[in-house]
């Protein structure tokens, strides 16, 4: 099977996902266009050689509909011969899109592909597609549907993480993200967003709150307690998990991922294609996997996905030097570390979505790029990126640096 290499990875800064956010004036198509253009401009090759563009987008409706990958590729000047497709695996969409793009190369059906993702949460809010899982009463009842925030609190309750644990992890995320920016660790991969006149719109992730402390987080109310109690979702969770006496609501706006806008793109290809184009490979896609998990608790899939990906790649947990696990909620990462027996030293060392934000369809590709940058900076050979997924799934990718 041919190898697939990562030749470049870029992302926009993350803008606050509300009307006052810096990227709220930028359409989703243009967000995606910016990173697609950057791949070609940074690497100086003809975009006509790209065989496919695969972009994750969790809410592919309204401005994000009409196959945003194809429209953004056309807007980026890729030419009419370059196709595009959008995919949704909820929060793992950007990583799943990258895995699909890599798989096409590994199958020998493509030579150069682009994977990535985009989400403008300020313009197309989460839930805009109104899928049956959450909105059809019969389906929601049969599947014991509860919102993700209540699921996160269920994870914390079931596996023993209290409010102090979750807040402490969130503070660490903020501190690490601030340090990463102050030390320029993201600089090489960030594509600043400008308007049509070339005037800067956003150059730095704007969701960070570097002055956050455990004391300030302790003042925040539990975000999902009312939802769980008054709307009956706690009762649904307890029906599915009768061993739990009650749900301890420990997640707040401060220890959950931020709502933001952004896009990311990753340039992938075979060794032969890279040589023809004069590109230097940065890493090899070692293996990847997606799994299904129990849909009510929903958020415990990353560990099993990582285990499956590592097994496919012939990798042991102790071989992995760095981990990027999407910080959908503090308890998600704490449970991942608990299950794989990991410490804090090599997990999300530059912070994560709690500090930086989680632009749904783009996040998976963003954390893969962050992982690669940090592997190069710290001279690590193997790294793994993983995300929890709505409706009970998980996706993971293992990459190996090319020295």
């Amino acid at each position: 099977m041919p190898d697939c290499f990562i030749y470049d990875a870029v992302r926009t800064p993350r803008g606050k996902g509300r009307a006052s956010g810096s990227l709220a004036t930028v359409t989703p198509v243009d967000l995606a266009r910016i990173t697609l253009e950057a791949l070609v401009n940074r690497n100086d090759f003809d975009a006509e050689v790209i065989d496919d563009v695969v972009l994750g987008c969790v809410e592919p409706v309204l401005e994000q509909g009409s196959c945003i990958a194809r429209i953004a590729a056309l807007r980026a000047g890729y030419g009419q011969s370059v196709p595009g497709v959008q995919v949704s695996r909820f929060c793992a969409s950007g990583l799943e899109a990258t895995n699909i793009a890599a798989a096409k190369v590994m199958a020998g059906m493509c030579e150069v592909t682009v994977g990535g993702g985009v989400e403008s949460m300020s313009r197309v809010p989460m839930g805009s597609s109104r899928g049956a899982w959450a909105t059809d009463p019969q389906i929601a009842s049969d599947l014991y549907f509860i919102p993700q925030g209540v699921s996160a609190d269920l994870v914390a309750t079931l596996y023993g993480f209290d409010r102090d644990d979750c807040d402490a992890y969130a503070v660490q995320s903020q501190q690490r993200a601030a340090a990463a920016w102050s030390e320029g660790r993201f600089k090489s991969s960030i594509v600043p967003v400008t308007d049509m006149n070339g005037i800067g719109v956003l150059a730095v992730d704007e969701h960070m709150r570097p002055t956050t402390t455990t004391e300030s987080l302790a003042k925040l109310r539990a975000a999902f307690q009312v939802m769980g109690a008054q709307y009956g979702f706690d009762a649904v969770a307890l029906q599915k998990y009768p061993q739990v006496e009650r749900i301890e609501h420990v997640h707040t706006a401060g220890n959950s991922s931020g709502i933001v806008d952004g896009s990311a793109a990753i340039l992938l290809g075979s060794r032969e294609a890279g040589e023809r184009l004069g590109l230097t490979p940065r890493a090899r896609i070692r293996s990847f996997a997606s799994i299904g998990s129990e849909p009510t608790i929903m958020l415990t899939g990353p560990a099993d996905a990582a285990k499956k990906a590592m097994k496919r790649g012939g990798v042991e947990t102790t071989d992995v030097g760095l981990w990027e696990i999407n910080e959908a909620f503090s308890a998600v990462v704490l449970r991942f570390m608990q299950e794989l027996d990991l410490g804090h030293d090599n997990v999300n060392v530059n912070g994560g979505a709690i500090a930086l934000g989680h632009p749904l369809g783009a996040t998976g590709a963003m954390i893969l790029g962050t992982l690669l940058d940090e592997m190069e900076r710290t001279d690590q050979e193997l790294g793994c990126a993983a995300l929890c997924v709505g409706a009970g799934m998980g996706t993971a990718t293992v990459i190996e640096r090319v020295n």
Side-chain angles (χ1 to χ4, degrees), residues 310-349:
M310 286 189 291
K311 184 177 180 180
R312 284 180 172 171
V315 173
E316 300 292 334
T317 302
T318 52
D319 297 330
V320 177
L322 285 169
W323 304 83
E324 280 289 327
I325 313 304
N326 186 37
E327 294 175 354
F329 302 91
S330 284
V332 170
V333 185
L334 292 173
R335 173 55 187 159
F336 184 93
M337 293 192 295
Q338 183 185 67
E339 186 165 352
L340 270 66
D341 193 24
L342 302 174
H344 289 257
D345 291 348
N346 62 348
V347 177
N348 296 355
V349 298

Side-chain angles (χ1 to χ4, degrees), residues 342-398:
L342 302 174
H344 289 257
D345 291 348
N346 62 348
V347 177
N348 296 355
V349 298
N350 292 314
I354 290 172
L356 301 169
H358 174 22
L360 299 184
T363 304
M366 285 186 170
I367 68 171
L368 190 65
T370 298
L371 175 66
L372 176 55
D373 285 344
E374 187 64 16
M375 287 169 64
E376 291 173 337
R377 190 183 76 85
T378 58
D379 194 26
Q380 297 292 330
E381 181 181 358
L382 289 167
C384 179
L387 301 93
C388 60
V389 184
M393 293 182 281
T395 298
T397 302
V398 177

Side-chain angles (χ1 to χ4, degrees), residues 10 19-20 35 77 87 100 118 136 158 168 189-190 219 250 252 300 326 333 353 362 370 399:
V10 297
S20 61
T35 48
V87 299
I100 290 172
V118 61
D136 184 311
L158 193 61
S189 298
I190 290 288
K219 297 175 183 178
V250 298
T252 69
T300 56
N326 186 37
V333 185
T370 298
I399 60 174

